[in-house]
Amino acid sequence: MTVRTPYLGRFAPSPTGPLHIGSLVAAMASYLDAKVHHGQWLVRIEDVDGDRNVAGADQHILASLQRCGMLWDGEVSWQSRRTGLYQQALRQLGELVYPCGCSRKEIADSQLSLTGRQAQALIYPGTCRHGLAPGKNARALRLKVPQAPHCVLHFDDRWAGPVSQDLTDEAGDFVIKRADGFWAYQLAVVVDDGAQGVTDIVRGADLLDSTPRQLYLQQLLGLPRPSYLHVPVVTNELGEKLSKQTGAMAFDHGAAPQQLLQDAMLPAARLLGMELRADHIDAFWRAAVPAWAQVLRNLPNPR
Ligand SMILES: [Zn+2]
């Protein structure tokens, strides 16, 4: 008898608009990965950024998942109802957290000499690390990243292969509670995955860059490290990430199943490297599970 490693995956959409082809690709990959590994699949609504939430988008996304035949295990969770957990994690981080009084503009001005990717990411120069300057008010809370020696984190992404990032140079002390009072994504996602016991994270490659910050938080909070698989993000011919803002990726979730397959599910599967044929939704999933297992066999890292 073989003993399987328990698998708990999740799909964690932000309720900023309806599910579109790009987010459907991520949902489909995480759902299929859970099915292939005989695991469970949770849905968590990442509504921690209160300014970006669109009323009703959470229910719309859940209805789309159901119509596509992606049924989750257990209860759906909402980050906005879990702030007690984030507060507790903040206490646990203790003296590694400090208040920062810098505006975005001040951080940008301090690094005009940087170019390209580093400047875009606005790496914090550590201005308030040793206390707020007189006259400054605390705006955000930041987490100290070790300076000497540098904090370099490595992980093996199942799709992208080995990834390493020097947090000291490439991220700097990062925000865990924002100036607008909302919890930062980095903290919320780590705390939730830890609290829910998520073992396997399958999501879009736009989050690959922030994974090392999450690994660092996991270490500090004593949480186990999940396995990661970042699927390529759907881009347009200019290489720009297609998002709900572009409108190009929308699909009508109320369409008849046949139409939903043609307009959304089969194209999403194709973006994951699966050429499927199916004329109804059950048949789609019967074909997609073994097709995903085949995709996995060609990846750099097995689970
Ligand atoms: Zn500061």
Side-chain angles (χ1 to χ4, degrees), residues 98-103 106-107 124-129 132 136 142:
Y98 65 90
C100 167
C102 304
S103 67
E106 285 167 325
I107 299 168
Y124 182 65
T127 319
C128 308
R129 212 164 210 264
L132 289 171
K136 285 272 185 194
R142 288 185 183 272

Side-chain angles (χ1 to χ4, degrees), residues 94-220:
E95 292 183 349
L96 288 172
V97 176
Y98 65 90
C100 167
C102 304
S103 67
R104 206 175 157 75
K105 183 172 184 310
E106 285 167 325
I107 299 168
D109 286 349
S110 71
Q111 43 188 249
L112 288 176
S113 57
L114 292 179
T115 52
R117 198 161 154 241
Q118 273 188 308
Q120 281 163 18
L122 284 185
I123 295 144
Y124 182 65
T127 319
C128 308
R129 212 164 210 264
H130 304 291
L132 289 171
K136 285 272 185 194
N137 293 317
R139 290 166 48 87
L141 294 179
R142 288 185 183 272
L143 179 66
K144 280 182 191 168
V145 169
Q147 301 295 302
H150 278 211
C151 178
V152 182
L153 284 157
H154 310 273
F155 71 103
D156 275 317
D157 190 78
R158 290 169 57 208
W159 191 296
V163 175
S164 76
Q165 190 180 76
D166 182 335
L167 273 195
T168 312
D169 275 354
E170 295 175 57
D173 295 350
F174 55 93
V175 170
I176 57 168
K177 194 170 189 189
R178 297 172 5 180
D180 55 18
F182 294 123
W183 294 97
Y185 168 74
Q186 309 296 351
L187 182 80
V189 75
V190 166
V191 169
D192 282 334
D193 285 330
Q196 293 184 306
V198 169
T199 61
D200 288 77
I201 294 176
V202 177
R203 60 187 182 186
D206 50 326
L207 291 164
L208 195 60
D209 257 9
S210 65
T211 306
R213 273 170 281 171
Q214 294 162 25
L215 302 182
Y216 176 57
L217 272 167
Q218 282 156 13
Q219 285 177 8
L220 296 177

